[in-house]
Amino acid sequence: MVDFHEDPGPGTGRRAARADFLSDAPRLSLNGRWRFRLSATAQGTGPGLPDPELDDSGWDTIRVPSHWVLEGHDRPLYTNTAYPFPIDPPRLPDDNPTGDYRLRFDLPDDWPQGWAGGRTVLRFQGVDSCGTVWLNGTLLGHSKGSRLPFEFDVTEAVRPRGNLLAVRVQRWSSGSYLEDQDMWWLPGVFRDVELLSRPAGGIDDFTVSASYDASDGSGALLVTADAPGLVEVPALGVAVPTGDRAAVPHVQPWSAERPRLYRGTLTAAGETIELAIGFRSVEIAGGRLLVNGAPVLFRGVNRHEHHPERGRALDRDTMIRDIELMKRHNVNAVRTAHYPPHPEFLRLCDEYGLWVVDECDIETHGFIYAGWEGNPPAEPMWREALLDRTRRMVERDKNHPSVVIWSLGNESGSGAAFGDIERWIRERDPSRPLHYERDPSYRHSDFYSLMYPSLDDLERIGQRKEEPPEGVAAESPDDVRRRGLPFLLCEYAHAMGNGPGSLADYQAILESYERFCGAFVWEWIDHGLAGPGGTFLHGGDIDYEPNGGRYCLDGLLFPDRTPSPGLAELRKAIEPVGITVEAGEVAVTNKYDTVDLGHLEFRWRVEVDGIPAGHGGTLAVPPCGPRETARVPMPEAEVASEGETWITIEAVLATATRWAPAGHVIAFTQTRLGTTPHHRPPLPATSTGRPRALDGLRLGEAVFDARTGRLVRLGGVELTGPVLDVWRAPTENDRGQGPRNALAADWEAVGLDRFLHRTGDVERPDDRTLVVHGRSGPATRTLGFRTTYTWQRRDGALHLRIDAEPVGDWHDTAYGHLTVSPPRMGARFSLPGGYTDVEWFGLGPGESYADSRAAARVGRFALPIDALQTPYVVPQENGNHVETRWLELRGPGLPALRVDGEPHLDFTARRWTSEALQAGQLLDSGRVWLNLDHGQQGVGSASCGPALPERYRVPVRRHSWSMTLSA
Ligand code: IPT
């Protein structure tokens, strides 16, 4: 019996690749429950699989499409770059779980087969990793290329009744060497299976070319097909035969911002095909990417197909959900990382409007462990397989206006095959530029492209002043050519865990240089798989080596598609309208590439200390074209005599769109009006008088522990604190990737996670004041802080000033040269567990950090303590709020506890300590742990990317901060 799985060839017996389209020709979905049996080796259940007589009644059943590892058979495996088999191309180990599938089906009574003289085609939209197919005992052939369709002509093999379709799917095949993307290995028939009638006189394949000429607003439409047909587009009055060019004097171009599709038909003798035509032209001119003659800036995300229960077997609703979420968060572009998506997704991108970088199903990342020796693109043996994948992508997706760039693949080093691929695409489809990031010569790419540069490096690239890539000589032809290319940032802002930081910083640079055509955040969604009790699993939850661990949890959405704070931040950072208040005017900058602002309404409102002041209105923004700025007078807003008066100006959708209701906020800004100075009297200088007896430590309603000097009661509230807190539960980004940026390793090396505290002198300079001296630092080290807590009774409240002065040696002995900076400068209090809610005035409502705070606005917010926790799949620091003016905690039967910052505090409140959070023990400790901090360092994106910029760290210097507590 034939065994194809180790053959490096792409397939056998298949029909030529062609466009994916919808037509009125009969179609029979074969999705549903199939018979299924999993075996341990590539031979599966043996040679009897295709035999119609084989008794499979004892087999399991499985749904198609699906991945068998998510349907109770074997288990999903996750590796990042590593191949889960020896690098011995094109061979695979004997242990090769293999799924044998069988389906019995009848043709519908009216199936045209036979009497209409047409053909019947069997199509698989995706089989991972290799499928060999038989119908009624006849071998049809096999195919590799998991995320691409393949078809067999089954006209001769199919019968009206009692058909037996058999498919053998090996988990590992030669194709797996080309599919080493950073994602779960999920085998199976995971996309639709269907039977298509191809009528006599039908059209098998056609190519739509619909260009737009920005100089005169005209369009040119040319549809070529493999059989004669009539092209009709009623809205344009077009009715031309295939092969004839139709000049359209006036068309509305297609863009992601205004996805004007002209619906039409392509009618041949045997069938009518739906056309969804978008007129647009893509070109690179003057070192810039232009669409329809104007530059575009991709505000993009890298999207893997992922569903926590279904893996890459996505249903249409999930695709729509992704697109709605993208559009609502100002995302305008998708890189289909790292393979062509289900074809329906591209139809939806055409309709909703997203620029698409369609990426081929090619990644050979694991050859890094062989020093790139034998890398498939460099080996002739793989040429056909690589070209086959390219052809199948381009042919399938060529008619989508949303697809504006072909990406040759991801992380596959370099090799001659990329030259062949480039030549083939340029010949077949000269209308779209090509992208490939990993070949340092960039010879086969129309873009210079990188992953994860630092802000400084990106700035240099914007200026076309970058260093040449390693191995490329300065001023060599490749260097000169690359410097003239537009730059596409194919991955940045690694969204793993809490983060990414600096989104607004990146965006500011991306918007400053003409060379940039945009950027794609890594990545859209966490690839967590549904685990027991509502949990999500990552690679490390499956006992297997090699293991990519938690690295699959790096998305802007949690696995169940709940938006993370990172997505809220992205939405603000990339908002397509810039609103600023300058010199008594509101400046509105249109950052869209193609549309004016006519679809938006500009509203303003005023709040005083976060409470609506009762006035507001709308702004009449004059017409403002793409990349233009309009100015309107500042609205007449009253400034309150006391408190903070803030005006909020929002750009909202004037009318509902397909993806959001009217009123949906696209962009906003806030500005403080007037200023009201702080009236708090300065603290008297700390006395250096002699210590007093440690009894009777009271200041009015406040009672202190005589031994530790800590507050233990305030009015009716029994509490403890503060404890100097320099720790936070490390985030994924704190853990970084190595000596360069593994901050948490440095912190732990010097003991920032295990400070011990000593209380020194306690002074009572007067009966309103208590001064507690101390020192905090870790065992084995000299480093620490000398602390002074100065308490003072003021107007019935308790004022606290904290001074912390660094002492000792803050160098990290592990990496000698580094000065370790603490993640936090804070004060921790323990409060009764009965507190349930927090109200605050400051930034909110979501969490905010020094480098991730654009999405937060100034306002008054109230949330249950439990709702302040962000459920990162891997527990880590979360829920901070910068620039908090005051907060109030409440709970049934407890006096409200109020804290006023002076002027601001960072706060977090949770039912567990940072240490428990770090250990993943999110259990109610019976207390509420409240941090009232001077600050915390930013979040960054160092889990895959540059180190956290210095300006977002907490410097090792004297820190002083103050607050007032009252119960
Ligand atoms: C980059 C990969 O392209 C992407 O698939 C993902 O693995 C990402 O890293 C990390 O999550 S490659 C890396 C070497 C920068």
Side-chain angles (χ1 to χ4, degrees):
M1 180 154 166
V2 282
D3 187 2
F4 294 110
H5 79 287
E6 288 189 326
D7 175 344
T12 48
R14 302 170 306 172
R15 303 181 81 230
R18 63 192 184 104
D20 187 279
F21 58 79
L22 304 173
S23 112
D24 64 354
R27 176 182 159 274
L28 176 67
S29 170
L30 298 181
N31 293 348
R33 293 215 73 91
W34 294 31
R35 289 282 168 189
F36 179 77
R37 182 161 276 183
L38 187 66
S39 310
T41 68
Q43 287 67 47
T45 58
L49 171 67
D51 182 356
E53 302 306 313
L54 177 87
D55 178 9
D56 57 16
S57 58
W59 290 26
D60 287 322
T61 64
I62 196 167
R63 76 169 133 181
V64 169
S66 76
H67 304 281
W68 70 66
V69 290
L70 302 182
E71 302 287 320
H73 303 274
D74 202 359
R75 51 196 188 150
L77 303 176
Y78 167 61
T79 64
N80 173 356
T81 51
Y83 286 113
F85 41 80
I87 303 182
D88 177 27
R91 288 164 290 273
L92 287 310
D94 296 341
D95 289 340
N96 188 351
T98 295
D100 281 355
Y101 291 77
R102 285 165 60 96
L103 175 74
R104 283 175 205 282
F105 68 92
D106 298 332
L107 293 180
D109 291 339
D110 56 356
W111 191 261
Q113 176 74 4
W115 57 263
R119 316 291 303 169
T120 295
V121 166
L122 172 64
R123 174 160 72 192
F124 292 82
Q125 289 284 14
V127 174
D128 189 331
S129 77
C130 171
T132 305
V133 185
W134 297 262
L135 184 60
N136 299 324
T138 305
L139 173 70
L140 301 174
H142 91 283
S143 186
K144 300 170 195 118
S146 299
R147 271 67 62 169
L148 287 160
F150 57 95
E151 293 181 340
F152 299 107
D153 187 324
V154 296
T155 314
E156 317 305 332
V158 76
R159 308 195 278 252
R161 299 253 167 281
N163 291 286
L164 189 273
L165 175 61
V167 187
R168 172 159 294 157
V169 180
Q170 280 92 7
R171 185 167 197 174
W172 314 120
S173 70
S174 67
S176 308
Y177 282 95
L178 308 181
E179 296 173 4
D180 191 24
Q181 293 95 341
D182 173 9
M183 62 188 190
W184 293 94
W185 296 93
L186 298 176
V189 180
F190 77 101
R191 285 185 188 160
D192 310 286
V193 184
E194 55 214 327
L195 214 55
L196 308 168
S197 167
R198 305 304 314 130
I203 284 178
D204 238 16
D205 191 19
F206 63 95
T207 304
V208 176
S209 148
S211 58
Y212 178 74
D213 185 342
S215 67
D216 61 3
S218 68
L221 176 65
L222 173 65
V223 180
T224 53
D226 62 357
L230 178 67
V231 179
E232 289 174 287
V233 186
L236 296 173
V238 166
V240 291
T242 49
D244 278 16
R245 187 177 301 272
V248 191
H250 280 292
V251 288
Q252 289 177 295
W254 187 96
S255 71
E257 291 163 0
R258 190 161 289 153
R260 178 68 166 100
L261 282 181
Y262 291 92
R263 303 282 176 178
T265 49
L266 168 56
T267 309
E271 74 180 322
T272 301
I273 291 169
E274 291 177 21
L275 297 178
I277 296 165
F279 289 87
R280 54 123 193 78
S281 296
V282 188
E283 66 182 311
I284 289 175
R288 304 181 79 176
L289 174 71
L290 308 179
V291 180
N292 300 332
V296 292
L297 188 69
F298 301 134
R299 301 172 170 88
V301 292
N302 280 282
R303 173 183 181 267
H304 266 287
E305 292 179 314
H306 182 76
H307 185 281
E309 273 120 35
R310 309 287 331 268
R312 288 187 283 276
L314 295 199
D315 57 51
R316 188 168 185 270
D317 287 346
T318 304
M319 299 176 204
I320 292 176
R321 184 81 194 122
D322 276 350
I323 291 178
E324 279 175 357
L325 282 166
M326 288 177 191
K327 297 284 289 185
R328 287 182 191 173
H329 290 87
N330 293 329
V331 168
N332 72 359
V334 178
R335 174 177 177 231
T336 69
H338 298 304
Y339 42 82
H342 190 287
E344 186 63 20
F345 181 74
L346 296 178
R347 264 193 286 277
L348 292 165
C349 289
D350 292 346
E351 288 175 12
Y352 282 81
L354 284 168
W355 305 114
V356 176
V357 177
D358 197 359
E359 188 153 270
C360 199
D361 194 359
I362 296 176
E363 174 157 348
T364 64
H365 212 156
F367 277 84
I368 197 171
Y369 302 101
W372 293 101
E373 196 60 41
N375 183 33
E379 298 290 326
M381 167 172 83
W382 296 99
R383 185 178 176 276
E384 236 346 276
L386 294 165
L387 272 168
D388 172 76
R389 285 161 192 251
T390 309
R391 276 188 218 114
R392 283 155 72 198
M393 169 180 77
V394 171
E395 296 297 357
R396 190 194 76 166
D397 297 341
K398 61 187 177 248
N399 293 332
H400 290 288
S402 55
V403 174
V404 285
I405 294 172
W406 300 118
S407 175
L408 310 192
N410 185 58
E411 288 283 3
S412 302
S414 30
F418 285 119
D420 299 330
I421 287 171
E422 182 206 344
R423 274 186 291 282
W424 184 85
I425 306 183
R426 292 216 194 276
E427 164 118 27
R428 178 69 186 93
D429 176 26
S431 77
R432 294 175 176 95
L434 311 183
H435 168 263
Y436 183 59
E437 184 264 351
R438 244 327 98 143
D439 181 338
S441 76
Y442 292 93
R443 263 175 225 166
H444 314 300
S445 177
D446 295 315
F447 300 87
Y448 177 34
S449 180
L450 285 179
M451 298 177 179
Y452 310 105
S454 67
L455 293 163
D456 292 343
D457 287 346
L458 190 64
E459 189 99 48
R460 272 190 288 278
I461 292 166
Q463 298 161 345
R464 298 190 196 263
K465 286 187 184 151
E466 73 275 3
E467 293 292 312
E470 231 179 272
V472 176
E475 300 308 320
S476 64
D478 283 338
D479 182 43
V480 171
R481 177 178 172 275
R482 189 204 61 258
R483 213 174 292 281
L485 298 177
F487 183 83
L488 184 152
L489 183 50
C490 68
E491 295 179 24
Y492 79 117
H494 199 247
M496 188 174 186
N498 189 343
S502 279
L503 283 168
D505 299 333
Y506 277 101
Q507 195 62 22
I509 299 173
L510 289 164
E511 289 177 7
S512 299
Y513 298 97
E514 290 192 344
R515 188 182 196 185
F516 294 128
C517 60
F520 296 80
V521 168
W522 188 266
E523 68 177 305
W524 177 238
I525 183 169
D526 282 347
H527 310 198
L529 292 174
T535 58
F536 295 108
L537 307 179
H538 56 71
D541 293 317
I542 287 158
D543 181 19
Y544 176 79
E545 281 301 325
N547 201 306
R550 308 191 300 254
Y551 227 58
C552 56
L553 301 173
D554 53 5
L556 296 165
L557 297 180
F558 294 124
D560 61 1
R561 292 193 153 66
T562 306
S564 75
L567 184 58
E569 184 72 6
L570 180 68
R571 165 185 173 170
K572 174 66 180 153
I574 62 175
E575 58 188 10
V577 183
I579 312 171
T580 49
V581 174
E582 310 157 356
E585 280 186 331
V586 183
V588 176
T589 302
N590 180 356
K591 298 183 183 181
Y592 288 105
D593 297 313
T594 61
V595 299
D596 62 22
L597 301 179
H599 63 294
L600 300 177
E601 200 173 276
F602 290 80
R603 330 185 273 217
W604 62 276
R605 62 169 187 273
V606 174
E607 283 158 15
V608 178
D609 285 345
I611 298 191
H615 59 293
T618 54
L619 291 182
V621 175
C624 178
R627 298 180 184 230
E628 287 174 11
T629 297
R631 284 168 212 284
V632 288
M634 185 68 179
E636 310 243 325
E638 270 167 53
V639 182
S641 56
E642 265 181 46
E644 294 185 28
T645 304
W646 284 80
I647 183 169
T648 303
I649 306 173
E650 289 174 336
V652 306
L653 287 178
T655 53
T657 62
R658 196 172 176 157
W659 43 268
H664 169 81
V665 177
I666 298 287
F668 75 90
T669 195
Q670 286 186 306
T671 303
R672 184 159 176 198
L673 302 177
T675 38
T676 23
H678 266 274
H679 289 303
R680 290 211 175 80
L683 263 188
T686 305
S687 151
T688 49
R690 305 209 136 261
R692 299 224 179 151
L694 290 184
D695 58 344
L697 287 186
R698 274 174 178 276
L699 288 176
E701 300 224 275
V703 182
F704 297 83
D705 179 294
R707 198 173 39 81
T708 62
R710 285 181 191 143
L711 181 66
V712 290
R713 172 169 291 278
L714 183 63
V717 184
E718 167 269 320
L719 76 179
T720 320
V723 174
L724 186 79
D725 190 3
V726 298
W727 188 241
R728 76 177 182 191
T731 65
E732 298 286 14
N733 291 318
D734 293 340
R735 298 206 178 280
Q737 265 195 314
R740 198 166 57 93
N741 56 9
L743 295 181
D746 297 335
W747 301 335
E748 280 162 7
V750 302
L752 298 190
D753 56 338
R754 50 184 166 82
F755 265 31
L756 299 170
H757 309 274
R758 176 178 184 274
T759 309
D761 294 349
V762 177
E763 299 166 26
R764 207 57 206 267
D766 57 54
D767 61 0
R768 289 169 46 232
T769 312
L770 180 74
V771 183
V772 181
H773 296 278
R775 188 189 187 285
S776 299
T780 72
R781 298 275 165 172
T782 60
L783 68 81
F785 284 97
R786 191 169 295 126
T787 53
T788 309
Y789 302 94
T790 305
W791 300 93
Q792 196 170 65
R793 249 177 83 199
R794 283 186 195 170
D795 308 327
L798 185 62
H799 185 271
L800 168 64
R801 173 185 166 123
I802 304 174
D803 295 283
E805 178 82 40
V807 292
D809 180 3
W810 281 80
H811 288 88
D812 171 8
T813 48
Y815 305 117
H817 55 288
L818 286 177
T819 296
V820 178
S821 59
R824 160 184 250 143
M825 227 24 241
R828 191 193 290 189
F829 289 81
S830 155
L831 307 179
Y835 282 112
T836 52
D837 292 88
V838 184
E839 184 174 355
W840 76 98
F841 174 47
L843 292 194
E847 64 187 34
S848 52
Y849 291 83
D851 61 346
S852 174
R853 45 169 297 168
R857 57 194 166 80
V858 178
R860 195 182 278 212
F861 308 98
L863 280 173
I865 288 171
D866 295 336
L868 291 172
Q869 319 308 315
T870 306
Y872 293 108
V873 177
V874 174
Q876 56 196 285
E877 160 61 29
N878 67 85
N880 188 60
H881 297 275
V882 302
E883 291 189 6
T884 308
R885 280 67 162 172
W886 57 256
L887 67 150
E888 227 168 84
L889 281 96
R890 290 194 206 94
L894 285 168
L897 178 69
R898 173 160 172 131
V899 184
D900 283 87
E902 209 177 278
H904 297 157
L905 293 167
D906 275 29
F907 91 89
T908 57
R910 45 176 75 105
R911 300 198 173 279
W912 39 82
T913 60
S914 295
E915 290 75 16
L917 176 60
Q918 180 175 356
Q921 280 151 10
L922 311 190
L923 304 171
D924 187 354
S925 63
R927 305 288 292 170
V928 167
W929 301 90
L930 176 67
N931 264 81
L932 301 169
D933 302 340
H934 190 38
Q936 236 193 85
Q937 76 162 39
V939 285
S941 61
S943 52
C944 181
L948 183 72
E950 211 53 55
R951 65 180 180 280
Y952 296 126
R953 301 192 192 190
V954 176
V956 179
R957 59 157 167 75
R958 183 192 175 97
H959 293 271
S960 304
W961 70 108
S962 305
M963 64 193 86
T964 303
L965 304 159
S966 47

